[in-house]
PDB file of all heavy atoms in Angstrom:
ATOM      1  N   GLU A  15      -3.500  11.167   6.078  1.00 90.00           N
ATOM      2  CA  GLU A  15      -4.776  11.629   6.647  1.00 90.00           C
ATOM      3  C   GLU A  15      -5.450  12.646   5.729  1.00 90.00           C
ATOM      4  O   GLU A  15      -6.665  12.587   5.511  1.00 90.00           O
ATOM      5  CB  GLU A  15      -4.525  12.231   8.022  1.00 90.00           C
ATOM      6  CG  GLU A  15      -5.805  12.650   8.740  1.00 90.00           C
ATOM      7  CD  GLU A  15      -5.531  13.180  10.131  1.00 90.00           C
ATOM      8  OE1 GLU A  15      -4.376  13.085  10.595  1.00 90.00           O
ATOM      9  OE2 GLU A  15      -6.476  13.701  10.753  1.00 90.00           O
ATOM     10  N   ARG A  16      -4.680  13.564   5.170  1.00 90.00           N
ATOM     11  CA  ARG A  16      -5.256  14.553   4.264  1.00 90.00           C
ATOM     12  C   ARG A  16      -5.747  13.899   2.978  1.00 90.00           C
ATOM     13  O   ARG A  16      -6.809  14.256   2.453  1.00 90.00           O
ATOM     14  CB  ARG A  16      -4.237  15.642   3.949  1.00 90.00           C
ATOM     15  CG  ARG A  16      -3.848  16.513   5.138  1.00 90.00           C
ATOM     16  CD  ARG A  16      -2.962  17.659   4.702  1.00 90.00           C
ATOM     17  NE  ARG A  16      -3.672  18.601   3.853  1.00 90.00           N
ATOM     18  CZ  ARG A  16      -3.089  19.499   3.083  1.00 90.00           C
ATOM     19  NH1 ARG A  16      -1.775  19.546   3.030  1.00 90.00           N
ATOM     20  NH2 ARG A  16      -3.807  20.322   2.346  1.00 90.00           N
ATOM     21  N   LEU A  17      -4.980  12.929   2.474  1.00 90.00           N
ATOM     22  CA  LEU A  17      -5.406  12.216   1.278  1.00 90.00           C
ATOM     23  C   LEU A  17      -6.716  11.482   1.503  1.00 90.00           C
ATOM     24  O   LEU A  17      -7.577  11.419   0.617  1.00 90.00           O
ATOM     25  CB  LEU A  17      -4.327  11.211   0.861  1.00 90.00           C
ATOM     26  CG  LEU A  17      -3.195  11.717  -0.025  1.00 90.00           C
ATOM     27  CD1 LEU A  17      -2.138  10.643  -0.200  1.00 90.00           C
ATOM     28  CD2 LEU A  17      -3.737  12.144  -1.383  1.00 90.00           C
ATOM     29  N   ALA A  18      -6.865  10.917   2.696  1.00 91.00           N
ATOM     30  CA  ALA A  18      -8.079  10.160   2.997  1.00 91.00           C
ATOM     31  C   ALA A  18      -9.326  11.032   2.931  1.00 91.00           C
ATOM     32  O   ALA A  18     -10.443  10.516   2.738  1.00 91.00           O
ATOM     33  CB  ALA A  18      -7.967   9.515   4.384  1.00 91.00           C
ATOM     34  N   HIS A  19      -9.176  12.350   3.088  1.00 90.00           N
ATOM     35  CA  HIS A  19     -10.309  13.261   2.990  1.00 90.00           C
ATOM     36  C   HIS A  19     -10.533  13.752   1.555  1.00 90.00           C
ATOM     37  O   HIS A  19     -11.543  14.395   1.276  1.00 90.00           O
ATOM     38  CB  HIS A  19     -10.098  14.472   3.910  1.00 90.00           C
ATOM     39  CG  HIS A  19     -10.215  14.148   5.367  1.00 90.00           C
ATOM     40  ND1 HIS A  19      -9.128  13.731   6.108  1.00 90.00           N
ATOM     41  CD2 HIS A  19     -11.273  14.165   6.211  1.00 90.00           C
ATOM     42  CE1 HIS A  19      -9.521  13.520   7.363  1.00 90.00           C
ATOM     43  NE2 HIS A  19     -10.809  13.769   7.452  1.00 90.00           N
ATOM     44  N   LEU A  20      -9.569  13.453   0.659  1.00 90.00           N
ATOM     45  CA  LEU A  20      -9.658  13.957  -0.703  1.00 90.00           C
ATOM     46  C   LEU A  20     -10.041  12.889  -1.723  1.00 90.00           C
ATOM     47  O   LEU A  20     -10.599  13.212  -2.773  1.00 90.00           O
ATOM     48  CB  LEU A  20      -8.318  14.582  -1.119  1.00 90.00           C
ATOM     49  CG  LEU A  20      -7.874  15.830  -0.346  1.00 90.00           C
ATOM     50  CD1 LEU A  20      -6.456  16.224  -0.769  1.00 90.00           C
ATOM     51  CD2 LEU A  20      -8.831  16.991  -0.584  1.00 90.00           C
ATOM     52  N   VAL A  21      -9.709  11.635  -1.433  1.00 91.00           N
ATOM     53  CA  VAL A  21      -9.950  10.555  -2.395  1.00 91.00           C
ATOM     54  C   VAL A  21     -10.691   9.419  -1.696  1.00 91.00           C
ATOM     55  O   VAL A  21     -10.659   9.305  -0.463  1.00 91.00           O
ATOM     56  CB  VAL A  21      -8.618  10.041  -2.981  1.00 91.00           C
ATOM     57  CG1 VAL A  21      -7.888  11.163  -3.713  1.00 91.00           C
ATOM     58  CG2 VAL A  21      -7.726   9.462  -1.895  1.00 91.00           C
ATOM     59  N   PRO A  22     -11.364   8.553  -2.472  1.00 92.00           N
ATOM     60  CA  PRO A  22     -12.151   7.477  -1.855  1.00 92.00           C
ATOM     61  C   PRO A  22     -11.333   6.466  -1.062  1.00 92.00           C
ATOM     62  O   PRO A  22     -11.787   5.966  -0.032  1.00 92.00           O
ATOM     63  CB  PRO A  22     -12.829   6.809  -3.063  1.00 92.00           C
ATOM     64  CG  PRO A  22     -12.823   7.841  -4.132  1.00 92.00           C
ATOM     65  CD  PRO A  22     -11.576   8.639  -3.930  1.00 92.00           C
ATOM     66  N   ALA A  23     -10.115   6.125  -1.539  1.00 92.00           N
ATOM     67  CA  ALA A  23      -9.338   5.083  -0.863  1.00 92.00           C
ATOM     68  C   ALA A  23      -7.848   5.348  -1.018  1.00 92.00           C
ATOM     69  O   ALA A  23      -7.390   5.809  -2.059  1.00 92.00           O
ATOM     70  CB  ALA A  23      -9.679   3.705  -1.435  1.00 92.00           C
ATOM     71  N   VAL A  24      -7.087   5.035   0.047  1.00 94.00           N
ATOM     72  CA  VAL A  24      -5.628   5.166   0.046  1.00 94.00           C
ATOM     73  C   VAL A  24      -5.041   3.852   0.545  1.00 94.00           C
ATOM     74  O   VAL A  24      -5.429   3.348   1.601  1.00 94.00           O
ATOM     75  CB  VAL A  24      -5.148   6.319   0.955  1.00 94.00           C
ATOM     76  CG1 VAL A  24      -3.621   6.425   0.911  1.00 94.00           C
ATOM     77  CG2 VAL A  24      -5.788   7.629   0.544  1.00 94.00           C
ATOM     78  N   PHE A  25      -4.099   3.294  -0.217  1.00 95.00           N
ATOM     79  CA  PHE A  25      -3.403   2.071   0.189  1.00 95.00           C
ATOM     80  C   PHE A  25      -1.936   2.412   0.393  1.00 95.00           C
ATOM     81  O   PHE A  25      -1.253   2.848  -0.539  1.00 95.00           O
ATOM     82  CB  PHE A  25      -3.539   0.977  -0.866  1.00 95.00           C
ATOM     83  CG  PHE A  25      -2.818  -0.300  -0.517  1.00 95.00           C
ATOM     84  CD1 PHE A  25      -3.356  -1.190   0.402  1.00 95.00           C
ATOM     85  CD2 PHE A  25      -1.589  -0.607  -1.087  1.00 95.00           C
ATOM     86  CE1 PHE A  25      -2.700  -2.363   0.735  1.00 95.00           C
ATOM     87  CE2 PHE A  25      -0.918  -1.773  -0.767  1.00 95.00           C
ATOM     88  CZ  PHE A  25      -1.475  -2.665   0.154  1.00 95.00           C
ATOM     89  N   VAL A  26      -1.443   2.229   1.614  1.00 94.00           N
ATOM     90  CA  VAL A  26      -0.053   2.529   1.939  1.00 94.00           C
ATOM     91  C   VAL A  26       0.732   1.222   1.959  1.00 94.00           C
ATOM     92  O   VAL A  26       0.474   0.349   2.782  1.00 94.00           O
ATOM     93  CB  VAL A  26       0.071   3.241   3.300  1.00 94.00           C
ATOM     94  CG1 VAL A  26       1.526   3.557   3.608  1.00 94.00           C
ATOM     95  CG2 VAL A  26      -0.755   4.528   3.304  1.00 94.00           C
ATOM     96  N   ALA A  27       1.660   1.093   1.019  1.00 93.00           N
ATOM     97  CA  ALA A  27       2.417  -0.145   0.865  1.00 93.00           C
ATOM     98  C   ALA A  27       3.743  -0.078   1.607  1.00 93.00           C
ATOM     99  O   ALA A  27       4.331   0.997   1.753  1.00 93.00           O
ATOM    100  CB  ALA A  27       2.683  -0.416  -0.619  1.00 93.00           C
ATOM    101  N   GLN A  28       4.192  -1.223   2.076  1.00 90.00           N
ATOM    102  CA  GLN A  28       5.498  -1.327   2.731  1.00 90.00           C
ATOM    103  C   GLN A  28       6.086  -2.693   2.428  1.00 90.00           C
ATOM    104  O   GLN A  28       5.387  -3.703   2.490  1.00 90.00           O
ATOM    105  CB  GLN A  28       5.398  -1.134   4.240  1.00 90.00           C
ATOM    106  CG  GLN A  28       6.746  -1.162   4.953  1.00 90.00           C
ATOM    107  CD  GLN A  28       6.615  -0.981   6.453  1.00 90.00           C
ATOM    108  OE1 GLN A  28       5.610  -1.360   7.046  1.00 90.00           O
ATOM    109  NE2 GLN A  28       7.628  -0.406   7.082  1.00 90.00           N
ATOM    110  N   ALA A  29       7.366  -2.732   2.085  1.00 88.00           N
ATOM    111  CA  ALA A  29       8.050  -3.993   1.808  1.00 88.00           C
ATOM    112  C   ALA A  29       9.443  -3.935   2.400  1.00 88.00           C
ATOM    113  O   ALA A  29      10.100  -2.905   2.352  1.00 88.00           O
ATOM    114  CB  ALA A  29       8.120  -4.258   0.308  1.00 88.00           C
ATOM    115  N   ARG A  30       9.887  -5.043   2.964  1.00 87.00           N
ATOM    116  CA  ARG A  30      11.213  -5.109   3.565  1.00 87.00           C
ATOM    117  C   ARG A  30      12.077  -6.215   2.951  1.00 87.00           C
ATOM    118  O   ARG A  30      13.298  -6.177   3.063  1.00 87.00           O
ATOM    119  CB  ARG A  30      11.083  -5.334   5.082  1.00 87.00           C
ATOM    120  CG  ARG A  30      10.591  -4.100   5.842  1.00 87.00           C
ATOM    121  CD  ARG A  30      11.675  -3.047   5.885  1.00 87.00           C
ATOM    122  NE  ARG A  30      11.261  -1.834   6.576  1.00 87.00           N
ATOM    123  CZ  ARG A  30      10.822  -0.745   5.975  1.00 87.00           C
ATOM    124  NH1 ARG A  30      10.744  -0.720   4.655  1.00 87.00           N
ATOM    125  NH2 ARG A  30      10.461   0.318   6.654  1.00 87.00           N
ATOM    126  N   THR A  31      11.442  -7.209   2.309  1.00 93.00           N
ATOM    127  CA  THR A  31      12.188  -8.319   1.730  1.00 93.00           C
ATOM    128  C   THR A  31      11.688  -8.581   0.318  1.00 93.00           C
ATOM    129  O   THR A  31      10.624  -8.106  -0.094  1.00 93.00           O
ATOM    130  CB  THR A  31      12.027  -9.596   2.566  1.00 93.00           C
ATOM    131  OG1 THR A  31      10.676 -10.067   2.456  1.00 93.00           O
ATOM    132  CG2 THR A  31      12.354  -9.344   4.035  1.00 93.00           C
ATOM    133  N   LEU A  32      12.436  -9.373  -0.436  1.00 95.00           N
ATOM    134  CA  LEU A  32      12.030  -9.728  -1.790  1.00 95.00           C
ATOM    135  C   LEU A  32      10.752 -10.563  -1.780  1.00 95.00           C
ATOM    136  O   LEU A  32       9.979 -10.535  -2.743  1.00 95.00           O
ATOM    137  CB  LEU A  32      13.155 -10.495  -2.489  1.00 95.00           C
ATOM    138  CG  LEU A  32      14.474  -9.731  -2.679  1.00 95.00           C
ATOM    139  CD1 LEU A  32      15.491 -10.602  -3.406  1.00 95.00           C
ATOM    140  CD2 LEU A  32      14.249  -8.426  -3.440  1.00 95.00           C
ATOM    141  N   GLU A  33      10.520 -11.302  -0.701  1.00 94.00           N
ATOM    142  CA  GLU A  33       9.299 -12.096  -0.604  1.00 94.00           C
ATOM    143  C   GLU A  33       8.053 -11.223  -0.435  1.00 94.00           C
ATOM    144  O   GLU A  33       6.929 -11.686  -0.635  1.00 94.00           O
ATOM    145  CB  GLU A  33       9.393 -13.084   0.570  1.00 94.00           C
ATOM    146  CG  GLU A  33      10.123 -14.373   0.245  1.00 94.00           C
ATOM    147  CD  GLU A  33      11.620 -14.171   0.073  1.00 94.00           C
ATOM    148  OE1 GLU A  33      12.144 -13.156   0.590  1.00 94.00           O
ATOM    149  OE2 GLU A  33      12.265 -15.022  -0.567  1.00 94.00           O
ATOM    150  N   ASP A  34       8.237  -9.965  -0.064  1.00 95.00           N
ATOM    151  CA  ASP A  34       7.096  -9.064   0.090  1.00 95.00           C
ATOM    152  C   ASP A  34       6.516  -8.636  -1.256  1.00 95.00           C
ATOM    153  O   ASP A  34       5.381  -8.166  -1.320  1.00 95.00           O
ATOM    154  CB  ASP A  34       7.507  -7.807   0.866  1.00 95.00           C
ATOM    155  CG  ASP A  34       7.673  -8.076   2.345  1.00 95.00           C
ATOM    156  OD1 ASP A  34       6.997  -8.984   2.861  1.00 95.00           O
ATOM    157  OD2 ASP A  34       8.488  -7.383   2.984  1.00 95.00           O
ATOM    158  N   VAL A  35       7.281  -8.773  -2.334  1.00 95.00           N
ATOM    159  CA  VAL A  35       6.826  -8.288  -3.644  1.00 95.00           C
ATOM    160  C   VAL A  35       5.548  -8.984  -4.100  1.00 95.00           C
ATOM    161  O   VAL A  35       4.560  -8.309  -4.426  1.00 95.00           O
ATOM    162  CB  VAL A  35       7.951  -8.427  -4.688  1.00 95.00           C
ATOM    163  CG1 VAL A  35       7.426  -8.064  -6.082  1.00 95.00           C
ATOM    164  CG2 VAL A  35       9.124  -7.532  -4.319  1.00 95.00           C
ATOM    165  N   PRO A  36       5.483 -10.327  -4.167  1.00 95.00           N
ATOM    166  CA  PRO A  36       4.225 -10.954  -4.590  1.00 95.00           C
ATOM    167  C   PRO A  36       3.072 -10.694  -3.628  1.00 95.00           C
ATOM    168  O   PRO A  36       1.914 -10.637  -4.051  1.00 95.00           O
ATOM    169  CB  PRO A  36       4.578 -12.448  -4.676  1.00 95.00           C
ATOM    170  CG  PRO A  36       5.815 -12.612  -3.866  1.00 95.00           C
ATOM    171  CD  PRO A  36       6.556 -11.328  -3.969  1.00 95.00           C
ATOM    172  N   ARG A  37       3.388 -10.522  -2.339  1.00 95.00           N
ATOM    173  CA  ARG A  37       2.327 -10.198  -1.380  1.00 95.00           C
ATOM    174  C   ARG A  37       1.688  -8.865  -1.720  1.00 95.00           C
ATOM    175  O   ARG A  37       0.449  -8.738  -1.752  1.00 95.00           O
ATOM    176  CB  ARG A  37       2.897 -10.170   0.046  1.00 95.00           C
ATOM    177  CG  ARG A  37       1.908  -9.687   1.097  1.00 95.00           C
ATOM    178  CD  ARG A  37       2.575  -9.574   2.465  1.00 95.00           C
ATOM    179  NE  ARG A  37       3.654  -8.615   2.484  1.00 95.00           N
ATOM    180  CZ  ARG A  37       3.478  -7.302   2.584  1.00 95.00           C
ATOM    181  NH1 ARG A  37       2.252  -6.777   2.621  1.00 95.00           N
ATOM    182  NH2 ARG A  37       4.518  -6.489   2.618  1.00 95.00           N
ATOM    183  N   LEU A  38       2.519  -7.857  -1.974  1.00 95.00           N
ATOM    184  CA  LEU A  38       1.994  -6.546  -2.341  1.00 95.00           C
ATOM    185  C   LEU A  38       1.302  -6.583  -3.700  1.00 95.00           C
ATOM    186  O   LEU A  38       0.281  -5.921  -3.906  1.00 95.00           O
ATOM    187  CB  LEU A  38       3.118  -5.513  -2.363  1.00 95.00           C
ATOM    188  CG  LEU A  38       3.555  -4.940  -1.019  1.00 95.00           C
ATOM    189  CD1 LEU A  38       4.681  -3.943  -1.218  1.00 95.00           C
ATOM    190  CD2 LEU A  38       2.389  -4.276  -0.306  1.00 95.00           C
ATOM    191  N   LEU A  39       1.860  -7.349  -4.620  1.00 95.00           N
ATOM    192  CA  LEU A  39       1.258  -7.469  -5.943  1.00 95.00           C
ATOM    193  C   LEU A  39      -0.153  -8.030  -5.840  1.00 95.00           C
ATOM    194  O   LEU A  39      -1.081  -7.542  -6.492  1.00 95.00           O
ATOM    195  CB  LEU A  39       2.131  -8.370  -6.823  1.00 95.00           C
ATOM    196  CG  LEU A  39       1.784  -8.431  -8.312  1.00 95.00           C
ATOM    197  CD1 LEU A  39       1.900  -7.047  -8.949  1.00 95.00           C
ATOM    198  CD2 LEU A  39       2.712  -9.415  -9.024  1.00 95.00           C
ATOM    199  N   ALA A  40      -0.332  -9.036  -4.995  1.00 95.00           N
ATOM    200  CA  ALA A  40      -1.655  -9.626  -4.813  1.00 95.00           C
ATOM    201  C   ALA A  40      -2.612  -8.641  -4.151  1.00 95.00           C
ATOM    202  O   ALA A  40      -3.789  -8.532  -4.536  1.00 95.00           O
ATOM    203  CB  ALA A  40      -1.546 -10.905  -3.987  1.00 95.00           C
ATOM    204  N   ALA A  41      -2.123  -7.907  -3.163  1.00 95.00           N
ATOM    205  CA  ALA A  41      -2.983  -6.951  -2.457  1.00 95.00           C
ATOM    206  C   ALA A  41      -3.431  -5.827  -3.380  1.00 95.00           C
ATOM    207  O   ALA A  41      -4.616  -5.460  -3.408  1.00 95.00           O
ATOM    208  CB  ALA A  41      -2.241  -6.376  -1.246  1.00 95.00           C
ATOM    209  N   ILE A  42      -2.510  -5.282  -4.157  1.00 95.00           N
ATOM    210  CA  ILE A  42      -2.850  -4.188  -5.077  1.00 95.00           C
ATOM    211  C   ILE A  42      -3.723  -4.705  -6.210  1.00 95.00           C
ATOM    212  O   ILE A  42      -4.662  -4.032  -6.652  1.00 95.00           O
ATOM    213  CB  ILE A  42      -1.573  -3.523  -5.620  1.00 95.00           C
ATOM    214  CG1 ILE A  42      -0.814  -2.848  -4.469  1.00 95.00           C
ATOM    215  CG2 ILE A  42      -1.904  -2.496  -6.699  1.00 95.00           C
ATOM    216  CD1 ILE A  42       0.545  -2.323  -4.853  1.00 95.00           C
ATOM    217  N   GLY A  43      -3.439  -5.922  -6.682  1.00 96.00           N
ATOM    218  CA  GLY A  43      -4.273  -6.514  -7.718  1.00 96.00           C
ATOM    219  C   GLY A  43      -5.713  -6.692  -7.260  1.00 96.00           C
ATOM    220  O   GLY A  43      -6.654  -6.449  -8.022  1.00 96.00           O
ATOM    221  N   ALA A  44      -5.878  -7.103  -6.002  1.00 95.00           N
ATOM    222  CA  ALA A  44      -7.232  -7.266  -5.466  1.00 95.00           C
ATOM    223  C   ALA A  44      -7.966  -5.931  -5.415  1.00 95.00           C
ATOM    224  O   ALA A  44      -9.162  -5.850  -5.731  1.00 95.00           O
ATOM    225  CB  ALA A  44      -7.161  -7.898  -4.078  1.00 95.00           C
TER     226      ALA A  44
END
């Protein structure tokens, strides 16, 4: 919440399995 007031955008990532890696890679790449 504090970061959201200091910078334009915050992306909070979460992964639980190895299959989550390409999903996060695509999201961050976008």
Side-chain angles (χ1 to χ4, degrees):
E15 184 177 352
R16 294 187 67 197
L17 274 173
H19 289 89
L20 295 173
V21 299
V24 181
F25 179 77
V26 181
Q28 183 181 30
R30 287 288 179 262
T31 69
L32 298 181
E33 277 71 21
D34 285 331
V35 174
R37 173 185 62 80
L38 280 180
L39 190 61
I42 295 172

